[in-house]
Structures are given as C-alpha cells and as structure tokens.
C-alpha cells in the first residue's frame, strides 16, 4: 500500500526512487514551458497563488531541498525548519518576477537538485529525517526524494488548471 495524493494522483512508490531525478527534470521542463503567456501574474482568487507564484514556489522547493540533501550528506541531522512557503511569496516578491527568468531558474533548480540526488548513496536514502510539512513526521530521505517529485507534479497541475 503506497500513499497516494487524492488531488493529483501521485503515488509514493519506493520503487520509483531511482527515477526521481529524471522525472523531476522532465516535469520542470513541462512547467517551464507554461511560463510564456500573458496571464501568469493575476491571482484567480485572492487565496490561491497565481501560476507565476506557484512556479516561484516550486523553484524554491528544489533549492531548499537541495540544501537539505547536502546537509544530510554532512550528517547534519538537525530538524529541518519549515522553508517559510507563505512568507517567501512576499519576501522574495514572487508576483513581481519575470516569467522568462523564473522559467530559466526553475530548470536550473531542478537540475541542481537532481545532481545532488544522483550523487546521494542509496544507504543515505534510508536515513531518517524529521520532515516538517504539513506536520513534523519521521521520513526516510528516499521518501523526501519522492515528495520532491510530488511537489513538481502537483504544482504543475496547480498551474495548468488555471491556464486551461
Ligand atoms: Zn498531489
């Protein structure tokens, strides 16, 4: 029995862990290709991020998780503090960023995360970390890799359903 996201259908199957890096790059490429229209900035409803804001969030997820994987390689096992997903929208000015730049950064961030993941030995993927979101829970690093792919797929959906 694998966990499955009721909203986007993503399944947390440990057998997929070796493919996570490749699939993240593929998903990010698909998402970056969406960042070309002129309807990316406005929020459709006040409480739901715009397509551009979701893309900025996904870029930052890749960058933050890359740092977390590097910390684990150093055996820095301290609790992972939340990334501040909501505060970043304002602190980093997501709504003011240029879509073409965000698309480029998204591809680079996916590549940078995938590179670190590819260099992570399989024994490290079995290490237990305390993952902060949505509730602090003990997870293997392999689960975190799958979760990163889930973030990529889920936010791709968040964007496509606003643009269609
Ligand atoms: Zn999902």
């Amino acid at each position: 029995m694998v966990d499955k996201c009721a909203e986007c259908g993503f399944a947390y199957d440990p057998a997929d862990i070796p493919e996570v890096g490749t699939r993240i790059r593929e998903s990010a490429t698909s998402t970056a290709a969406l960042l070309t229209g002129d309807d990316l900035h406005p929020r459709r409803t006040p409480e739901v991020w715009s397509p551009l804001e979701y893309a900025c969030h996904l870029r930052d997820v890749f960058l933050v998780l890359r740092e977390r994987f590097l910390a684990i390689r150093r055996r820095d096992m301290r609790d992972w503090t939340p990334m501040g997903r909501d505060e970043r929208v304002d602190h980093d000015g997501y709504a003011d960023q240029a879509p073409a730049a965000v698309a480029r950064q998204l591809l680079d961030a996916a590549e940078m995360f995938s590179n670190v993941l590819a260099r992570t030995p399989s024994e490290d993927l079995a290490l237990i970390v305390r993952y902060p979101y949505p509730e602090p829970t003990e997870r293997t690093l392999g689960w975190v890799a799958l979760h990163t792919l889930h973030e990529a797929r889920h936010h791709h959906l968040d964007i496509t359903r606003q643009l269609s």
Side-chain angles (χ1 to χ4, degrees), residues 6-7 22 27 44 57 115 124 155 161:
E7 198 175 339
T22 299
S27 186
R44 276 57 173 172
H57 168 69
N115 179 55
D124 282 11
H155 293 317
R161 64 183 164 200

Side-chain angles (χ1 to χ4, degrees), residues 66-84:
R66 166 185 155 90
E67 290 303 319
R68 289 173 175 172
F69 271 71
L70 289 167
I72 291 296
R73 296 297 308 276
R74 301 190 300 271
R75 293 300 187 270
D76 179 350
M77 307 298 280
R78 287 174 292 185
D79 285 359
W80 290 353
T81 54
M83 67 181 280

Side-chain angles (χ1 to χ4, degrees), residues 28-164:
T29 299
S30 300
T31 302
L34 298 172
L35 302 178
T36 56
D38 55 7
D39 199 23
L40 298 165
H41 286 84
R43 289 191 180 188
R44 276 57 173 172
T45 55
E47 70 279 7
V48 177
W49 289 346
S50 70
L52 179 63
E53 287 169 322
Y54 272 119
C56 290
H57 168 69
L58 182 57
R59 172 201 62 202
D60 286 1
V61 164
F62 291 148
L63 294 176
V64 167
L65 284 162
R66 166 185 155 90
E67 290 303 319
R68 289 173 175 172
F69 271 71
L70 289 167
I72 291 296
R73 296 297 308 276
R74 301 190 300 271
R75 293 300 187 270
D76 179 350
M77 307 298 280
R78 287 174 292 185
D79 285 359
W80 290 353
T81 54
M83 67 181 280
R85 68 195 297 281
D86 293 313
E87 293 87 345
R88 283 170 186 260
V89 176
D90 173 48
H91 294 175
D92 196 37
Y94 283 179
D96 298 328
Q97 298 187 21
V102 174
R104 189 188 68 240
Q105 293 160 2
L106 183 64
L107 293 173
D108 278 344
E111 185 71 38
M112 291 163 71
F113 173 82
S114 299
N115 179 55
V116 169
L117 177 59
R119 299 176 63 85
T120 302
S122 56
E123 61 264 31
D124 282 11
L125 293 173
L127 291 169
I128 302 294
V129 299
R130 193 166 168 79
Y131 198 78
Y133 185 84
E135 297 296 329
T137 308
E138 290 197 339
R139 304 286 194 183
T140 65
L141 195 60
W143 181 93
V144 179
L146 285 169
H147 184 65
T148 309
L149 176 58
H150 179 206
E151 292 267 351
R153 296 271 180 81
H154 197 110
H155 293 317
H156 184 81
L157 176 64
D158 286 325
I159 293 170
T160 53
R161 64 183 164 200
Q162 293 192 53
L163 296 177
S164 59

